[in-house]
Coordinates of all heavy atoms in Angstrom, one line a residue:
K171 N -99.3 22.3 1.3 CA -100.1 22.8 2.5 C -99.3 22.8 3.8 O -99.9 23.0 4.8 CB -101.4 22.1 2.6 CG -101.2 20.6 2.9 CD -102.3 20.0 3.6 CE -102.0 18.5 3.9 NZ -103.0 17.9 4.6
V173 N -97.1 24.2 6.5 CA -96.6 25.5 7.0 C -95.1 25.5 7.1 O -94.3 26.3 6.5 CB -97.3 26.0 8.3 CG1 -96.6 27.2 8.9 CG2 -98.8 26.2 8.0
S211 N -107.8 29.0 3.5 CA -107.5 28.5 4.8 C -107.6 29.6 5.8 O -107.4 30.8 5.5 CB -106.0 28.0 4.8 OG -105.5 27.8 6.1
T213 N -105.6 30.2 7.9 CA -104.3 30.7 8.1 C -104.1 32.1 7.4 O -103.1 32.8 7.8 CB -103.2 29.7 7.5 OG1 -102.0 29.8 8.2 CG2 -103.1 29.7 6.0
Y235 N -96.8 29.6 3.1 CA -98.0 28.8 2.7 C -99.2 29.7 2.8 O -100.0 29.8 1.9 CB -98.2 27.6 3.6 CG -99.6 27.0 3.6 CD1 -100.0 26.4 2.4 CD2 -100.4 27.2 4.6 CE1 -101.3 26.0 2.3 CE2 -101.7 26.7 4.6 CZ -102.2 26.1 3.4 OH -103.5 25.7 3.3
F264 N -110.9 25.8 8.8 CA -110.2 25.9 10.0 C -109.4 24.6 10.2 O -108.4 24.5 9.5 CB -111.2 26.3 11.2 CG -111.5 27.8 11.1 CD1 -112.2 28.3 10.1 CD2 -111.0 28.6 12.1 CE1 -112.4 29.7 10.0 CE2 -111.2 30.0 12.0 CZ -111.9 30.6 11.0
N265 N -109.7 23.7 11.1 CA -108.9 22.6 11.3 C -109.6 21.3 10.9 O -110.2 20.7 11.8 CB -108.4 22.5 12.7 CG -107.4 23.6 13.0 OD1 -107.8 24.8 13.0 ND2 -106.2 23.3 13.3
N284 N -97.4 16.8 11.0 CA -97.2 18.1 11.6 C -98.4 18.5 12.4 O -98.3 19.2 13.4 CB -97.1 19.2 10.5 CG -95.9 18.9 9.6 OD1 -94.8 18.8 10.1 ND2 -96.2 18.8 8.3
N285 N -99.6 17.9 12.0 CA -100.9 18.4 12.7 C -101.2 17.5 13.9 O -100.8 16.3 13.9 CB -102.0 18.4 11.6 CG -101.8 19.4 10.5 OD1 -102.0 19.1 9.4 ND2 -101.4 20.6 10.9
L286 N -102.0 18.1 14.8 CA -102.3 17.4 16.0 C -103.0 16.1 15.9 O -102.6 15.1 16.4 CB -103.2 18.3 16.9 CG -103.6 17.8 18.2 CD1 -102.4 17.6 19.2 CD2 -104.6 18.6 18.9
Y289 N -101.2 13.1 14.6 CA -100.1 12.7 15.5 C -100.7 11.9 16.7 O -100.2 10.8 17.0 CB -99.4 14.0 16.0 CG -98.0 13.6 16.5 CD1 -96.9 14.0 15.8 CD2 -97.8 12.9 17.7 CE1 -95.6 13.8 16.3 CE2 -96.5 12.6 18.2 CZ -95.5 13.0 17.4 OH -94.2 12.7 17.9
L301 N -97.0 12.2 22.4 CA -97.3 13.5 21.8 C -96.6 14.6 22.5 O -96.5 14.6 23.8 CB -98.8 13.7 21.9 CG -99.3 15.1 21.6 CD1 -99.2 15.4 20.1 CD2 -100.7 15.4 22.1
N302 N -96.0 15.5 21.8 CA -95.4 16.7 22.4 C -96.5 17.8 22.4 O -97.0 18.1 21.3 CB -94.2 17.2 21.6 CG -93.0 16.3 21.7 OD1 -92.8 15.8 22.8 ND2 -92.4 16.0 20.6
V303 N -96.9 18.2 23.5 CA -97.9 19.3 23.6 C -97.2 20.6 23.6 O -96.4 20.9 24.5 CB -98.8 19.1 24.9 CG1 -99.8 20.3 25.0 CG2 -99.5 17.8 24.9
F304 N -97.4 21.4 22.5 CA -96.6 22.6 22.3 C -97.1 23.8 23.2 O -97.9 24.6 22.8 CB -96.7 23.0 20.8 CG -96.1 22.0 19.9 CD1 -96.7 21.9 18.6 CD2 -95.0 21.2 20.2 CE1 -96.1 20.9 17.7 CE2 -94.5 20.3 19.4 CZ -95.1 20.2 18.1
G315 N -103.2 25.1 23.4 CA -103.8 25.8 22.3 C -105.2 25.4 22.0 O -105.5 24.2 22.1
V316 N -106.0 26.3 21.6 CA -107.5 26.1 21.3 C -107.7 26.3 19.8 O -107.3 27.3 19.2 CB -108.4 27.0 22.1 CG1 -109.8 26.9 21.6 CG2 -108.3 26.6 23.6
R317 N -108.3 25.3 19.1 CA -108.6 25.4 17.7 C -110.0 24.9 17.4 O -110.7 24.3 18.2 CB -107.6 24.5 16.9 CG -106.2 24.9 17.0 CD -105.9 26.2 16.3 NE -104.5 26.5 16.3 CZ -103.8 27.2 17.2 NH1 -104.5 27.6 18.3 NH2 -102.6 27.5 17.1
Y319 N -111.9 22.5 15.4 CA -111.8 21.3 14.6 C -113.1 21.0 13.9 O -114.1 21.0 14.6 CB -111.3 20.1 15.5 CG -110.0 20.4 16.2 CD1 -109.9 20.9 17.4 CD2 -108.8 20.1 15.5 CE1 -108.6 21.2 18.0 CE2 -107.6 20.4 16.0 CZ -107.5 20.9 17.3 OH -106.3 21.2 17.9
V355 N -105.8 21.4 23.2 CA -105.1 20.2 22.8 C -105.4 19.1 23.8 O -105.7 17.9 23.5 CB -103.6 20.5 22.9 CG1 -102.7 19.2 22.7 CG2 -103.2 21.5 21.8
R378 N -94.8 26.1 20.0 CA -94.3 26.1 18.7 C -94.4 27.5 18.1 O -95.4 28.2 18.2 CB -95.2 25.2 17.8 CG -94.8 25.0 16.4 CD -95.6 23.9 15.7 NE -97.1 24.3 15.6 CZ -98.0 23.5 15.0 NH1 -97.7 22.4 14.5 NH2 -99.3 23.9 15.0
D381 N -97.5 29.9 16.6 CA -98.8 29.4 17.0 C -99.6 30.5 17.7 O -99.1 31.2 18.6 CB -98.7 28.2 18.0 CG -98.6 26.9 17.2 OD1 -98.7 26.9 16.0 OD2 -98.5 25.8 17.9
Ligands
LIG94 C1 -103.3 22.4 16.4 C2 -103.0 22.6 17.9 C3 -100.7 23.2 18.2 C4 -99.2 19.3 16.9 C5 -102.5 24.1 10.7 C6 -101.9 25.0 9.7 C7 -103.1 25.6 9.0 C8 -104.0 24.6 8.5 C9 -104.5 23.7 9.5 C10 -103.6 24.3 6.1 C11 -102.0 23.8 18.1 C12 -101.0 21.8 18.9 C13 -100.0 20.3 17.2 C14 -98.4 18.6 17.9 C15 -99.4 20.1 19.5 N1 -103.5 23.9 7.4 N2 -100.1 20.7 18.5 N3 -98.6 19.1 19.2 O1 -101.4 24.9 13.6 O2 -103.9 25.2 14.1 O3 -103.2 24.8 11.7 O4 -103.3 23.1 10.1 O5 -104.2 25.3 5.7 O6 -102.5 26.4 7.9 O7 -101.3 26.1 10.4 O8 -103.0 22.9 13.4 O9 -102.9 20.6 14.0 O10 -100.7 21.9 13.6 O11 -102.1 22.4 15.7 O12 -99.5 20.5 20.7 O13 -97.6 17.6 17.6 O14 -102.3 21.5 18.4 O15 -99.8 23.9 19.0 O16 -102.4 24.4 19.3 P1 -102.8 24.5 13.3 P2 -102.1 21.9 14.1

Side-chain angles (χ1 to χ4, degrees):
K171 61 155 181 178
V173 169
S211 167
T213 204
Y235 161 71
F264 279 69
N265 291 65
N284 300 306
N285 296 134
L286 179 67
Y289 204 108
L301 170 72
N302 292 319
V303 175
F304 297 148
V316 171
R317 294 291 185 275
Y319 299 95
V355 175
R378 180 172 64 177
D381 271 359

